[in-house]
Amino acid sequence: MAFTQQNSRHHLHVQDNKKLYVCEVCKKGFSQTAHLKTHLRTHTNEKPYVCEVCNKGFSQTGNLKAHLRIHTHEKPYVCEICKKGFSQSYVLKNHLQTHTKERPFVCEVCSKGFSLNGSLTAHLRTHKNEKPYVCEVCNKGFARSNVLKAHLRTHTNEKPYICEMCNKGFSQTGHLKVHLRTHTKEKPYVCEVCNKGFSHNSSLKHHLWTHKNEKPYVCEMCNKGFPRSDSLKKHLCTHTKENPYVCAMYNKDFPQSNDLKTHFHTHK
């Protein structure tokens, strides 16, 4: 293979492990001026490569190219185990750890393991009570940027994740995933005591309390305990005489949702 003078000079730099081009801001070294130029954009926040579809900017052409696959729905990186496709190679790499159950990043405080270093970093904030991502609407803080992004939809009422079976919208993909089980009747969370299945992990957790006879939610008025927070909420209505479930047709109110459902049958 023939080398030009420029390629030959770069090759020698790599061979000698020299990094002659140094960032004046953070003193990080690079073997090529192009790499230094790209790196400087992390300090200047310059994003010269702009998506023609949504106008989002990127500091590198490769990042723009990967982003465009979101619009084209192209997913060239396919998992060999479950055949699920991804638009970026690193997302596939992270996904593979869901099959291997590998969690190499371990919390030094509680020994909990994570498949991604970013997940560990976000988890550590729960110990430090750090919430650097703050909602500009209500000033509520969050440990992770994606949780803030999902929270913002509670203000905008945006529901971009649509069920293909009933067209119901959801603000988070996780909520859509759980909802789909109402159509598929899938119940992946199974009680080890009685083999009863549940569509959601929290439902299984609440169910387990029925076996342990645990009732952590206690009424402050009469000290009666309940295994679930929603059961306590319904019980409180017996003290406050509050009827939060209202029939819009007859303007009649009820203390529990089941009472309202029963009432609906009288309309038919």
Side-chain angles (χ1 to χ4, degrees):
M1 179 179 177
F3 284 98
T4 64
Q5 184 176 1
Q6 183 179 1
N7 287 340
S8 179
R9 185 166 58 250
H10 165 58
H11 176 72
L12 288 172
H13 288 166
V14 174
Q15 289 293 94
D16 296 338
N17 197 27
K18 292 180 180 179
K19 295 181 178 180
L20 303 182
Y21 306 99
V22 180
C23 173
E24 294 181 355
V25 180
C26 65
K27 307 306 178 186
K28 188 173 182 179
F30 300 89
S31 59
Q32 296 185 51
T33 54
H35 294 170
L36 172 60
K37 186 178 179 181
T38 299
H39 164 79
L40 285 170
R41 295 187 186 121
T42 63
H43 298 298
T44 63
N45 203 32
E46 180 188 1
K47 296 179 179 180
Y49 305 101
V50 180
C51 173
E52 294 180 354
V53 180
C54 66
N55 293 322
K56 187 173 182 179
F58 299 88
S59 60
Q60 299 184 44
T61 54
N63 293 344
L64 172 59
K65 185 177 179 181
H67 165 79
L68 285 171
R69 297 189 189 115
I70 296 174
H71 299 297
T72 61
H73 301 290
E74 181 187 357
K75 296 180 178 180
Y77 304 100
V78 180
C79 174
E80 294 182 355
I81 300 173
C82 67
K83 307 304 177 185
K84 188 174 182 180
F86 301 91
S87 59
Q88 299 188 46
S89 59
Y90 81 92
V91 181
L92 170 60
K93 185 178 179 181
N94 294 339
H95 164 79
L96 285 170
Q97 290 174 341
T98 64
H99 295 298
T100 63
K101 306 298 182 183
E102 182 184 358
R103 295 181 177 181
F105 304 99
V106 180
C107 174
E108 295 180 353
V109 180
C110 65
S111 299
K112 187 175 182 179
F114 298 88
S115 58
L116 302 174
N117 187 38
S119 300
L120 171 60
T121 302
H123 165 78
L124 286 170
R125 296 189 186 115
T126 62
H127 294 299
K128 300 175 183 177
N129 200 30
E130 291 180 2
K131 296 179 179 180
Y133 304 100
V134 180
C135 174
E136 295 180 353
V137 180
C138 66
N139 293 322
K140 188 173 183 180
F142 300 90
R144 301 179 66 162
S145 59
N146 64 318
V147 180
L148 170 59
K149 187 176 180 180
H151 164 79
L152 285 170
R153 297 190 187 114
T154 63
H155 296 297
T156 62
N157 203 31
E158 181 189 0
K159 296 180 179 179
Y161 305 102
I162 308 297
C163 174
E164 295 181 353
M165 304 182 81
C166 68
N167 292 322
K168 187 174 182 180
F170 298 88
S171 60
Q172 298 184 42
T173 53
H175 294 170
L176 172 59
K177 187 176 180 180
V178 171
H179 164 78
L180 284 170
R181 295 184 187 130
T182 63
H183 297 296
T184 62
K185 306 301 180 184
E186 180 189 3
K187 295 181 178 180
Y189 303 99
V190 180
C191 174
E192 294 181 353
V193 180
C194 65
N195 292 322
K196 187 175 181 178
F198 299 88
S199 59
H200 199 280
N201 187 36
S202 61
S203 299
L204 170 60
K205 186 177 180 181
H206 290 145
H207 166 77
L208 287 171
W209 287 332
T210 62
H211 294 298
K212 299 175 183 177
N213 201 29
E214 290 183 9
K215 296 179 180 181
Y217 302 99
V218 180
C219 175
E220 294 181 354
M221 295 184 177
C222 66
N223 293 322
K224 187 174 182 179
F226 299 88
R228 298 177 56 158
S229 59
D230 58 340
S231 299
L232 171 59
K233 187 177 179 180
K234 291 176 183 177
H235 165 78
L236 285 171
C237 293
T238 64
H239 295 296
T240 62
K241 306 301 180 183
E242 181 185 1
N243 295 333
Y245 302 97
V246 180
C247 171
M249 186 176 294
Y250 292 101
N251 198 30
K252 191 172 183 180
D253 51 25
F254 300 89
Q256 297 189 27
S257 59
N258 287 336
D259 295 333
L260 176 59
K261 289 177 183 177
T262 302
H263 166 77
F264 278 147
H265 293 305
T266 65
H267 295 183
K268 298 177 182 180

